Amino acid sequence: MYLEEVEFINWRNLEKVELSFPEKTLVLAGDNAQGKTNFLEALFLLARGTSPRRAKDEEMIRWGEEFSYLRAQIREENLHFTREVVIKKEGKKEWKRDGKRETRRTSLPLVGYFPQDREIVEGPPQKRRDFLDEVISFIYPSYNQWLREYEKLLSRRNFLLRERSSGEFVEIYGENLINCGTKVVETRIRYLHRFVPCFQSFYQELSGEDVSLQVFYRPLGYRWEEGVEEGLRRAKKRVREEEKERGVTLFGPHRDEIVLLLRDREARNFASQGEKKRLAISLRLAETSMVESFYRKEVVILVDDVFSELDKKRRALLWQKIKNGSQVFLTTTEEEEVKELRGSSPLSFFRIEGGRIEKGE
Amino acid sequence: MAESYPEALSRLISAFSRLPGIGPKTAQRLAFYLVKSPSLEVEELLSSLQEVKEKIHFCSVCGFYTEEDRCKICENPQRDRSVVCVVERPQDVLAIEKTGFRGLYHVLQGIISPLSGIGPEKIKIKELLERVSQGEIKEVILAISPSVDGEATALYLAQKLSSFPVLVTLIARGLPSGGDLEFADEVTLQEALEGRRRISLKPRKEE
């Protein structure tokens, strides 16, 4: 995929942006809080349909305005099309493709590297589940519908438990929760198997040392090797009394953990700050290569201020990995850090200040 | 203070707006229309409302609309009494009728729905089990919409029916006929794949 030109109106602090991208690498330099991340967020939303920060629609609209509008002219292989979205304070986003209303969209191959990705490594288990769920949904759309169905079943079962409904009634939803949960867990494990080798080798390269890095899917209350459906059933039986007492579902994929073990210790608690950064970047690199191989298409890459977290050697390494993306958007506070990469491929430079973007040299 | 409509008119408007699918604007439009209508038309409406309330109730066996104790479907001796099709609402009966189905029905009068406080005891499940226990029924077809709550209802029924010697089947999920494969969503397609069946070829005529 290649973004040929974009137009943003009333998007966060960007009042009006109109840019075309003849060069495949774009660097956006500027101080903090000038709108660099907002710019990338708009590109992400256009391609993937959601905000990488999970922002609400009304937060995306420029202060005091009623709506926000984004448009991109996109090229995919030999196909050109426009994608537009109108975000309103109330009601759903309105999407258009080539000027026609679009109700069902596919995600376009674009991956973003953000500073807050470190939370995937060091945050609570939900961050890692969400990361994996997003990666899988991106390349396997049915998975997303299963997740939504699972959430519906879960909210009903929790409601019944909270209301102290009859055991039989809770049981009906428990059974369907297991059926749907089995699909979710089995899919997670299947994709994790393909994801982990990628992740490991990127980490080795980026860290420059041969350390042991392992990833485990750790379901709550059973071992998946014994069979997921059976396991969920056993886990459910085990927590039965406690669920009645606490009035909430205590087993299932919404409580499972994905453990990153670095040197046989949980990275979440024991990895250093530098290691956490590199782990987070490696997760995104592995995501990128999954997307590449599943879509058999080139991926657009967004890198939000991630370079400044790395030393010179690792910056060069990361650059080697991502510069082959069909298009790369980098933001930075330190122009010099990025300029040193210039040798290898042409970059177009832009500066952003107070939401206004101007061409740099 | 601004004047409002005379009491009788306001009462009619608020009565209309209690009906499903009717908002305040439509309720007003209907009321104004009736005020202007000839008395004959209003009387006709009045008497049909009365008649519906007096005569129509649910069949004591299957729960479909009837003017008698039992509905015409249950009374019809031509119907196959070994097959019962379970549906959510009486209007679903007519939808299935159009397919040429000629067995009997059972209307649940709702589906299990925890978020609206509808448990298994609030719909006609006990009645279904009673019918099945009489032994004449050999197959129960569950024709319930494939929503999260619909599936829960189907599963619950299947569990309850498992203690009887009946075949319990669920209507298929998948592609609509005349549908285009390209425009189907992934989950529907996947269900269609899971529910695939063997094409049975008729033996060729001997020449």
Side-chain angles (χ1 to χ4, degrees):
Chain A
M1 173 174 88
Y2 196 95
L3 297 162
E4 294 175 323
E5 54 176 71
V6 295
E7 182 184 358
F8 309 155
I9 297 170
N10 296 335
W11 172 258
R12 291 193 183 263
N13 77 330
L14 311 175
E15 191 181 350
K16 184 158 175 65
V17 173
E18 258 191 295
L19 289 174
S20 57
F21 309 120
E23 228 84 69
K24 83 165 207 173
T25 306
L26 177 133
V27 177
L28 187 61
D31 292 335
N32 286 323
Q34 302 303 310
K36 298 192 299 295
T37 304
N38 295 347
F39 177 79
L40 296 186
E41 185 187 22
L43 299 177
F44 192 97
L45 184 95
L46 274 165
R48 304 266 301 252
T50 55
S51 151
R53 349 181 189 185
R54 294 163 183 268
K56 291 186 193 118
D57 281 6
E58 60 171 303
E59 296 166 12
M60 304 174 189
I61 301 167
R62 192 174 135 91
W63 186 251
E65 300 291 343
E66 288 301 308
F67 71 95
S68 172
Y69 169 85
L70 306 177
R71 177 181 69 85
Q73 171 74 36
I74 296 162
R75 187 179 76 221
E76 253 196 316
E77 271 137 50
N78 292 323
L79 198 70
H80 294 258
F81 63 96
T82 354
R83 183 176 267 196
E84 294 163 275
V85 57
V86 176
I87 298 132
K88 292 171 291 185
K89 276 203 169 151
E90 273 164 41
K92 284 187 169 174
K93 298 187 194 75
E94 270 176 30
W95 293 85
K96 281 182 182 171
R97 185 188 164 109
D98 287 334
K100 275 194 205 139
R101 276 289 282 279
E102 207 180 19
T103 45
R104 284 168 34 80
R105 271 159 296 108
T106 46
S107 284
L108 296 169
L110 173 146
V111 173
Y113 297 62
F114 295 94
Q116 70 267 27
D117 289 348
R118 230 167 61 199
E119 288 169 22
I120 305 168
V121 179
E122 65 185 10
Q126 176 160 18
K127 295 278 178 191
R128 285 175 289 289
R129 286 194 301 265
D130 286 351
F131 169 76
L132 183 64
D133 287 345
E134 260 168 45
V135 173
I136 301 173
S137 307
F138 192 6
I139 53 193
Y140 185 33
S142 306
Y143 180 71
N144 200 20
Q145 296 204 31
W146 293 341
L147 278 181
R148 269 182 286 171
E149 189 181 327
Y150 184 82
E151 271 161 29
K152 278 190 199 161
L153 288 164
L154 185 64
S155 72
R156 282 161 173 77
R157 190 166 186 272
N158 283 342
F159 181 84
L160 292 173
L161 283 166
R162 208 161 50 236
E163 297 287 306
R164 315 277 178 238
S165 303
S166 76
E168 196 182 37
F169 201 178
V170 176
E171 200 52 35
I172 314 167
Y173 284 90
E175 190 56 33
N176 277 339
L177 196 75
I178 286 177
N179 292 338
C180 186
T182 303
K183 285 195 273 190
V184 170
V185 175
E186 282 178 346
T187 313
R188 279 182 182 168
I189 291 166
R190 202 167 70 235
Y191 280 87
L192 212 51
H193 274 307
R194 311 168 85 145
F195 181 85
V196 171
C198 266
F199 170 56
Q200 286 165 327
S201 82
F202 283 128
Y203 184 77
Q204 303 287 11
E205 264 186 85
L206 206 58
S207 65
E209 49 176 356
D210 194 16
V211 293
S212 125
L213 170 63
Q214 286 164 297
V215 182
F216 292 107
Y217 190 82
R218 192 162 69 198
L220 191 79
Y222 66 98
R223 283 161 48 82
W224 60 263
E225 293 89 339
E226 307 160 32
V228 175
E229 196 179 332
E230 277 311 297
L232 282 169
R233 242 182 216 113
R234 271 200 305 281
K236 187 177 88 173
K237 215 181 250 173
R238 214 166 287 156
V239 293
R240 215 171 136 171
E241 290 309 310
E242 204 188 341
E243 279 187 334
K244 268 191 208 154
E245 227 165 84
R246 291 174 52 188
V248 63
T249 301
L250 294 171
F251 72 98
H254 67 292
R255 301 183 65 99
D256 292 349
E257 164 69 300
I258 298 147
V259 187
L260 309 183
L261 281 186
L262 187 63
R263 296 190 190 82
D264 300 323
R265 306 176 83 188
E266 277 200 39
R268 183 186 173 190
N269 302 318
F270 296 102
S272 72
Q273 292 305 312
E275 285 168 336
K276 283 177 183 169
K277 275 178 214 164
R278 296 195 283 280
L279 286 167
I281 292 172
S282 307
L283 287 171
R284 290 295 179 202
L285 282 166
E287 177 187 0
T288 311
S289 83
M290 291 273 278
V291 172
E292 242 162 18
S293 66
F294 275 87
Y295 277 76
R296 304 208 174 284
K297 272 177 193 160
E298 290 182 306
V299 180
V300 173
I301 292 169
L302 313 179
V303 183
D304 188 19
D305 215 8
V306 172
F307 274 46
S308 59
E309 297 184 338
L310 298 172
D311 57 40
K312 197 171 172 186
K313 196 182 92 200
R314 294 196 167 103
R315 273 206 295 275
L317 245 164
L318 178 58
W319 176 241
Q320 284 306 314
K321 292 276 157 231
I322 61 172
K323 71 172 192 189
N324 294 327
S326 60
Q327 203 174 8
V328 184
F329 293 87
L330 296 173
T331 69
T332 184
T333 44
E334 309 291 331
E335 270 179 65
E336 296 311 312
E337 279 177 357
V338 178
K339 276 187 172 150
E340 72 198 27
L341 308 168
R342 208 173 215 172
S344 47
S345 68
L347 312 176
S348 53
F349 260 88
F350 287 88
R351 278 204 191 79
I352 184 163
E353 205 185 329
R356 253 194 298 280
I357 298 178
E358 266 155 32
K359 185 111 178 81
E361 76 284 349
Chain B
M1 209 181 89
E3 282 297 330
S4 54
Y5 293 119
E7 202 197 323
L9 189 52
S10 309
R11 264 179 55 203
L12 183 60
I13 292 172
S14 76
F16 274 134
S17 52
R18 275 196 291 272
L19 300 176
I22 300 211
K25 281 270 156 68
T26 314
Q28 282 191 15
R29 202 177 309 142
L30 291 172
F32 299 152
Y33 175 79
L34 288 181
V35 168
K36 277 203 298 189
S37 313
S39 317
L40 207 66
E41 205 173 302
V42 178
E43 261 158 42
E44 158 116 45
L45 181 67
L46 217 60
S47 67
S48 57
L49 280 175
Q50 226 154 21
E51 213 175 301
V52 125
K53 224 32 220 172
E54 277 163 19
K55 291 194 180 157
I56 302 294
H57 45 261
F58 297 120
C59 168
S60 65
V61 178
C62 74
F64 186 54
Y65 301 120
T66 178
E67 295 189 2
E68 318 293 329
D69 174 51
R70 289 155 157 246
C71 72
K72 286 193 172 139
I73 296 172
C74 289
E75 289 289 336
N76 185 347
Q78 314 274 307
R79 292 268 168 169
D80 181 351
R81 303 197 160 261
S82 68
V83 192
V84 167
C85 181
V86 178
V87 294
E88 184 185 333
R89 301 161 305 174
Q91 40 296 29
D92 298 336
V93 168
L94 285 193
I96 304 274
E97 273 297 283
K98 285 186 196 142
T99 67
F101 175 76
R102 285 298 171 263
L104 299 177
Y105 292 93
H106 187 87
V107 182
L108 291 174
Q109 310 291 4
I111 51 171
I112 294 173
S113 168
L115 301 183
S116 4
I118 299 172
E121 71 291 343
K122 292 210 175 139
I123 58 176
K124 307 281 180 200
I125 291 179
K126 209 177 74 218
E127 289 79 353
L128 174 66
L129 299 178
E130 239 159 63
R131 282 178 80 182
V132 171
S133 72
Q134 288 161 8
E136 205 178 352
I137 296 164
K138 299 285 172 265
E139 181 178 358
V140 177
I141 303 170
L142 304 177
I144 303 170
S145 5
S147 60
V148 165
D149 291 326
E151 297 232 304
T153 309
L155 183 70
Y156 181 78
L157 286 173
Q159 283 173 354
K160 287 281 157 187
L161 287 165
S162 65
S163 50
F164 298 99
V166 287
L167 175 68
V168 182
T169 53
L170 183 66
I171 53 165
R173 297 173 67 161
L175 298 170
S177 24
D180 198 323
L181 220 59
E182 186 191 354
F183 297 119
D185 67 280
E186 296 84 5
V187 168
T188 306
L189 258 178
Q190 199 160 17
E191 278 161 359
L193 272 175
E194 277 167 14
R196 70 188 184 273
R197 58 191 156 91
R198 202 191 178 110
I199 296 184
S200 53
L201 295 174
K202 287 188 189 116
R204 221 183 264 174
K205 267 186 196 160
E206 299 288 330
E207 295 200 0

